[in-house]
Amino acid sequence: MRQRPRRNRRAPFHREVAAETDLGPARFVQPLFVHAGSGDRPIDALPGRSRLDLDGLVRTAERLLAVGVGAVALFPAVDESLKTRDAAECLRPDGLVPRAVQALKERFPELVVVTDVALDPYSSDGHDGLVADDGRVLNDETLEILAAQALMHARAGADVVAPSDMMDGRVAAIRDELDGAGFTDVSILAYTAKYASAYYGPFRAALDSAPRAGDKKTYQMDPRNRREALIEARLDEAEGADVLMVKPAGAYLDVIAELRAATSLPIAAYQVSGEYAMLAAAIGRGWLDERAAVTESLIAIRRAGADLILTYWAEKAAGWFGPAAG
C-alpha cells in the first residue's frame, strides 16, 4: 500500500502536524452571572457556577486573564422588585451592568467585556421585547430601547454589545445609535441564529428570566430550520454586525458550518447552559471523563467553523491547553 493514513497518526509529532483544528484560551469567552447583592451564590442548575457579586466578578476576571482567557460576557440577575413591563431598569446608568462593566474595566482595561442586550432580565413579562396587552411581543417598539441599552453599556466601557433578543432590525438600530454617539469602535456580536431551544432552562433559572406567559417561538428560530439562518446572517451583516453567533452550539453544528461558508465575518457559538449541565451531570456521576468529554465537545464546535466559543468551561479548559495554545 502506497497510502497509509496511519503514518500521520503514529506519534504525537505526526498528529500535531496533521491536526486541522486549533483550540485554546484565545478562542474562549467566559459567560458570567452577576448580581447586586453581597457574596457569590451557587446556581443549583449549573454545578460549579455562581451568581457573582462585584468583588467576585473582579476576582474571577483576574483568574481568567491568568490562564489566557481575555473576554467575558456579562448576564445580570436583576432583583424581582426592579422588573417592570417596560423594562426601565435596563436603561439606568447606575444599574447593575454598567457598574459591573466599570468595575472590570477599571481593574483590567485589557479585558474584553461583552454585554447582553435584551429586555428579558429586566422585564416582568420575561420576554426579550416589550409585550402588548394581547401577549404579542412588539418588534419595532422594542428597537429604541435596545439601542439605548447598548449605548449605555458602551458609555460604561463595554467593548462589545451582544443583542440576544432576535428582534428584526435591532443590529441596524444599535449600530446607528452607537455611531451617532461616537462609539464607532464598539463591536456588535449579533445573536444571528438563536434557536427556540430546550437547552436554555438552567440559564433562565440562573437569572429567573423565563417568560411569565407564552414562549419565545415568535422571535427565536425554529429548530427545524437551517436555511433561515442564512437569511438572518445576511441581514445582520448588512446592518453592521461584526461577529455572527449561533446558539446553542452542540445541536447546531450544521448551522455553524453553513454560516462559516456564507460569510467572511467571524463566527461565534454559545455552548449553552443545558449543554454544560448535561456534561456536568454525567461527569459528576463518573460516567464521562471531564477533560476528554469537554475537550471533544469544544473541538466539535471549533471544527464546525466557530472562531469564538462562549462556554462555561472556558476557565478550566484554558488551564488544560495553556495560554500559548490559542
Side-chain angles (χ1 to χ4, degrees), residues 216-255:
K216 300 191 176 187
K217 293 180 180 179
T218 65
Y219 48 100
Q220 294 180 356
M221 285 181 53
D222 189 325
R224 295 173 295 181
N225 293 353
R226 177 174 52 83
R227 295 191 302 270
E228 187 181 6
L230 298 176
I231 297 172
E232 294 282 3
R234 286 193 292 269
L235 288 170
D236 285 353
E237 184 168 1
E239 290 177 18
D242 299 286
V243 182
L244 308 180
M245 180 141 79
V246 177
K247 179 182 180 183
Y252 297 89
L253 298 178
D254 60 324
V255 178

Side-chain angles (χ1 to χ4, degrees), residues 19 41-42 65 70 86 92 95 98 111 120 139 165 169 173 184 194 208 284:
R41 301 174 184 175
L65 287 169
D86 63 0
R92 191 156 65 89
L111 180 71
D120 54 327
N139 191 98
D165 56 286
T184 55
K194 182 179 181 180
D208 191 24

Side-chain angles (χ1 to χ4, degrees), residues 264-289:
S264 296
L265 290 178
I267 299 296
Y270 198 146
Q271 188 181 44
V272 299
S273 59
E275 297 174 83
Y276 172 89
M278 289 190 299
L279 280 170
I283 290 163
R285 288 177 173 265
W287 294 343
L288 293 175
D289 177 88

